[in-house]
Amino acid sequence: MSVAKRLGDWFDRRTGWRGMRAEAVAGLAKPVPPRVGWGFTLGSTALGLLFLQVATGVALALHYQPTPEAAHGSVARIMDEVRLGWVVRGMHVWGAHALVALVLAHAAKVFVTGGHKRPRELTWILGAGVMFVMLGLAFTGHLLPWTDQSYWGAVVGVEQTRIVPVVGPPTATLLLGGETVAAPTLTRFYVLHLLILPAILAKLLFLHLWLVRRHGVSPAESADEEDARGHAALCAGGEPYAPNHMLREAIAVAVAAAAVLTAAALWPQELGPRAGASTPEGVRPEWYFLAVYQYLKYWPSQLLGLPGETIGICLLSAALGAFVFLPFLDRSPERRPARRRVALVAGALAVLLWGTLTALGAVSDRSIPAFGKTWTFDTWGRPR
Ligand code: HEM
């Protein structure tokens, strides 16, 4: 008997890996529902980019120093002295943008195809949890270079957290580690970004993917039909997951990774001035937080005897709660988009509102040259 066979037997008796492998291979060969196409690669593409984020993040962490005195200089060294440091940092930053965009697109696709319906409600809720943790990662990561922009971005973000009734003030204090953004804040953001949030993300994602595997990808038919006929019967006629759909996923991941690398090489990240050097004008959050930032501006200082922003934050929290618990609000068993017109119109209006607020947030308090003249926008985003 060969050494490899004897070694394999030794491990098999202790772990049962041959049985697990056979089960996994059989699972991979099972067909996916006939409707599964490119739209269903968004989740896997996000997963692929997440691995890339971990790899580039670990590479950056080898050189990064998390103190206000050293942080900016260490990032400058990554950019100028460490071999390919500028590309790795560029990939990490562009990767973060791409990942947020992909996760949003994935959630939108799931909603349109009714993938959040029975029995996949928990898959959705866990996915929403993953999304919030990812936004937390993006927010905490932004402070780490300790530039003027990142410093004031953190100040604005933490102050907006403070407005949330009851939990806001203690959360803000916990994040800051004092009265304002300073050395303890950088330490806390660093620990959150490298340790706490990735650990939570890994657990939520594991459960999310475990449920995806347990239920299989949703078929086009309604939840009632899936209950009555069973998932396997509705997959009859679909392609096997491996190699057919797996190949699609591999192509999508390769294209996304190549796009991130290209963006990093063509549009290298700048490193702004170190925090404290000046107070920059027009500090605004990254695009995925712009809608919330802009939305809070429209609330008057007082409304019904309460601070207007507090009412705004309460309504926003209700909207986020509705997003998380969507499967319990959008309850019809129907998945086919053509038979869910009301839900889809409501979803489209929500996306339109979010997009409009994002656009207004992007132009507000700015002068932008376009169509042969310079347009100046006030803080509400109205042209002056
Ligand atoms: C990094 C974040 C995420 C990753 C890596 C991920 C990964 C995946 C993968 C690989 C699938 C199976 C293929 C597919 O339908 O695309 C899937 C399905 C699903 N995801 Fe996610 N996901 C993430 C975030 C989210 C978010 C934010 C939500 C919703 C708020 C969500 C809700 C769902 C649901 C309900 C399904 C089942 C869809 C169906 O069976 O049709 N996921 N996810």
Side-chain angles (χ1 to χ4, degrees), residues 56-76:
T56 50
V58 168
L60 292 174
L62 297 178
H63 299 276
Y64 176 75
Q65 293 173 289
T67 64
E69 295 74 33
H72 187 270
S74 68
V75 178

Side-chain angles (χ1 to χ4, degrees), residues 40 43-44 47 103 106 110 115 120 124 127-128 130 134 208 212 217-218:
F40 289 76
S44 329
L47 190 60
V103 169
H106 169 60
V110 168
R120 296 175 182 79
W124 174 275
V130 169
M134 265 183 40
H208 181 69
V212 169
V217 174
S218 60

Side-chain angles (χ1 to χ4, degrees), residues 13 30 46 61 119 144 178 198-199 212 251 279 284 287 296 318 333 367 372 377:
R13 273 197 297 280
K30 281 190 189 158
L144 301 185
V212 169
I251 293 172
T279 309
R284 66 192 75 227
W287 61 271
L296 288 174
S367 294
F377 296 89

Side-chain angles (χ1 to χ4, degrees), residues 332-353:
S332 86
E334 190 50 70
R335 292 204 182 98
R336 280 161 279 224
R339 300 187 192 173
R340 295 171 48 231
R341 295 233 163 86
V342 175
L344 291 192
V345 169
L349 288 177
V351 172
L352 190 67
L353 179 64

